[in-house]
């Protein structure tokens, strides 16, 4: 026998926002892969140095910082549309999609471009824990200017996330993959993280999206340059 489940609470709110986004933003998806050997080494070094403090960074922290720095350079990625105006935000607040028992939540870390990785690690841990325990405050949920959603740990090889209104772009992160590469006459095995940037084409064109992704790629492939 069929069973009906009433759409309510967070599911209702998320559904309404996703419908609004789908009807509002003309979306284009741009894909690029990042070679992660330097990122892996940076994570190992950082976590080893902060083991006594129980601080561990992961790819999400590097992605958040890389996107924040790219948004600082390409300010339209840190904007929203209100009526016939583009609002450029002075803070770069990166939202991170978090799966909870009651549905998806997107808390955000404020002024990510100004944080050290230690500070970013501490604040990200706080908002993720708060989301899962339903203990976030209003400020944790509101004010985001760019969102990252990472499905790589679920084995997802490619997806097109829906923009989190009123933002104008979102980054989807896919499963890390291994590829054989030729360098001269030598065959090497390298690991790559595929990224999908979805952008509102009213505001962001293809050339700008490509420049933004290349900036993110450059930061992830030289993560030591991102430390504030």
């Amino acid at each position: 026998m069929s069973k009906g489940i009433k759409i309510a609470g967070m599911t209702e709110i998320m559904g309404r926002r996703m419908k609004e986004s789908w009807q509002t933003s003309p979306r284009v998806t741009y894909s690029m892969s990042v070679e992660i050997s330097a990122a892996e080494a940076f994570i190992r070094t950082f976590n080893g140095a902060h083991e006594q403090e129980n601080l561990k960074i992961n790819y999400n922290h590097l992605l958040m910082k890389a996107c924040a720095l790219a948004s600082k350079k390409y300010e339209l990625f840190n904007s929203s549309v209100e009526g016939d105006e583009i609002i450029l935000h002075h803070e770069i607040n990166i939202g991170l999609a978090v799966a909870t028992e009651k549905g998806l939540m997107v808390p955000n870390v404020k002024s990510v471009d100004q944080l050290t990785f230690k500070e970013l690690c501490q604040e990200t841990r706080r908002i993720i824990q708060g989301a899962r325990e339903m203990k976030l405050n209003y400020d944790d949920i509101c004010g985001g200017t760019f969102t990252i959603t990472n499905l790589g740990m679920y084995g997802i090889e490619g997806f097109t996330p829906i923009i989190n209104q009123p933002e104008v772009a979102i980054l989807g992160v896919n499963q890390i993959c291994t590829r054989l590469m030729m360098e001269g006459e030598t065959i090497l095995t390298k690991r790559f993280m595929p990224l999908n940037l979805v952008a509102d084409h009213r505001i962001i064109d293809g050339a700008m999206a490509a420049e933004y992704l290349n900036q993110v790629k450059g930061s992830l492939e030289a993560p030591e340059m991102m430390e504030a």
Side-chain angles (χ1 to χ4, degrees), residues 102-119:
K102 295 187 177 181
L104 190 69
M105 296 185 70
V106 189
N108 64 84
V109 176
K110 303 295 190 286
S111 301
V112 173
D113 58 308
Q114 299 177 28
L115 301 180
T116 64
F117 277 114
K118 181 177 178 178
E119 293 167 337

Side-chain angles (χ1 to χ4, degrees), residues 48-149:
H50 295 83
E51 184 176 3
Q52 297 300 319
E53 302 168 80
N54 195 29
L55 287 178
K56 290 185 177 181
I57 62 170
N58 55 39
Y59 292 111
N60 284 337
H61 299 103
L62 300 189
L63 287 159
M64 292 171 75
K65 191 62 177 282
C67 288
L69 294 177
S71 295
K72 191 172 184 177
K73 182 174 182 179
Y74 301 99
E75 60 183 3
L76 284 177
F77 282 85
N78 199 55
S79 71
S80 59
V81 179
E82 295 183 13
D84 59 355
E85 284 189 324
I86 299 173
I87 308 300
L88 300 176
H89 302 293
H90 67 281
E91 284 189 338
I92 301 176
N93 304 331
I94 304 295
L96 189 64
V98 179
T100 74
E101 291 182 355
K102 295 187 177 181
L104 190 69
M105 296 185 70
V106 189
N108 64 84
V109 176
K110 303 295 190 286
S111 301
V112 173
D113 58 308
Q114 299 177 28
L115 301 180
T116 64
F117 277 114
K118 181 177 178 178
E119 293 167 337
L120 180 57
C121 181
Q122 293 169 330
E123 182 62 8
T124 302
R125 181 168 60 183
R126 183 188 70 80
I127 65 166
I128 290 176
Q129 182 177 346
R132 290 173 176 165
E133 296 176 355
M134 296 296 157
K135 294 181 179 179
L136 294 175
N137 58 47
Y138 181 81
D139 190 54
D140 293 326
I141 297 295
C142 295
T145 59
F146 185 93
T147 297
I148 296 171
T149 176

Side-chain angles (χ1 to χ4, degrees), residues 6-219:
K6 183 174 177 59
I7 300 175
M10 286 178 59
T11 302
E12 180 183 12
I13 294 171
M14 183 62 67
R16 186 168 63 247
R17 293 189 65 187
M18 292 300 96
K19 181 180 179 180
E20 175 191 357
S21 180
W22 190 264
Q23 295 173 338
T24 301
S25 300
R27 299 159 304 283
V28 179
T29 303
Y30 307 90
S31 301
M32 185 175 289
S33 292
V34 177
E35 200 276 315
I36 61 167
S37 60
E40 288 177 322
F42 184 86
I43 289 171
R44 285 195 302 270
T45 300
F46 180 96
N47 291 345
H50 295 83
E51 184 176 3
Q52 297 300 319
E53 302 168 80
N54 195 29
L55 287 178
K56 290 185 177 181
I57 62 170
N58 55 39
Y59 292 111
N60 284 337
H61 299 103
L62 300 189
L63 287 159
M64 292 171 75
K65 191 62 177 282
C67 288
L69 294 177
S71 295
K72 191 172 184 177
K73 182 174 182 179
Y74 301 99
E75 60 183 3
L76 284 177
F77 282 85
N78 199 55
S79 71
S80 59
V81 179
E82 295 183 13
D84 59 355
E85 284 189 324
I86 299 173
I87 308 300
L88 300 176
H89 302 293
H90 67 281
E91 284 189 338
I92 301 176
N93 304 331
I94 304 295
L96 189 64
V98 179
T100 74
E101 291 182 355
K102 295 187 177 181
L104 190 69
M105 296 185 70
V106 189
N108 64 84
V109 176
K110 303 295 190 286
S111 301
V112 173
D113 58 308
Q114 299 177 28
L115 301 180
T116 64
F117 277 114
K118 181 177 178 178
E119 293 167 337
L120 180 57
C121 181
Q122 293 169 330
E123 182 62 8
T124 302
R125 181 168 60 183
R126 183 188 70 80
I127 65 166
I128 290 176
Q129 182 177 346
R132 290 173 176 165
E133 296 176 355
M134 296 296 157
K135 294 181 179 179
L136 294 175
N137 58 47
Y138 181 81
D139 190 54
D140 293 326
I141 297 295
C142 295
T145 59
F146 185 93
T147 297
I148 296 171
T149 176
N150 189 342
L151 294 180
M153 68 285 291
Y154 297 105
I156 296 299
E157 297 177 353
F159 70 114
T160 302
I162 298 177
I163 296 170
N164 187 23
Q165 294 291 324
E167 299 166 17
V168 298
I170 184 170
L171 186 72
V173 186
N174 303 293
Q175 182 183 35
I176 292 171
C177 59
T178 300
R179 300 175 186 171
L180 297 179
M181 309 291 294
M182 290 291 297
E183 287 193 5
E185 297 182 355
T186 304
I187 299 176
L188 300 177
T189 299
K190 293 190 176 183
R191 283 159 52 82
F192 289 85
M193 178 187 293
L195 305 177
N196 291 337
L197 175 69
V198 180
D200 188 333
H201 207 11
R202 295 175 300 171
I203 312 302
I204 297 167
D205 61 27
M208 190 184 307
E211 291 176 3
Y212 181 91
L213 267 180
N214 272 300
Q215 178 76 20
V216 170
K217 174 183 171 71
S219 292

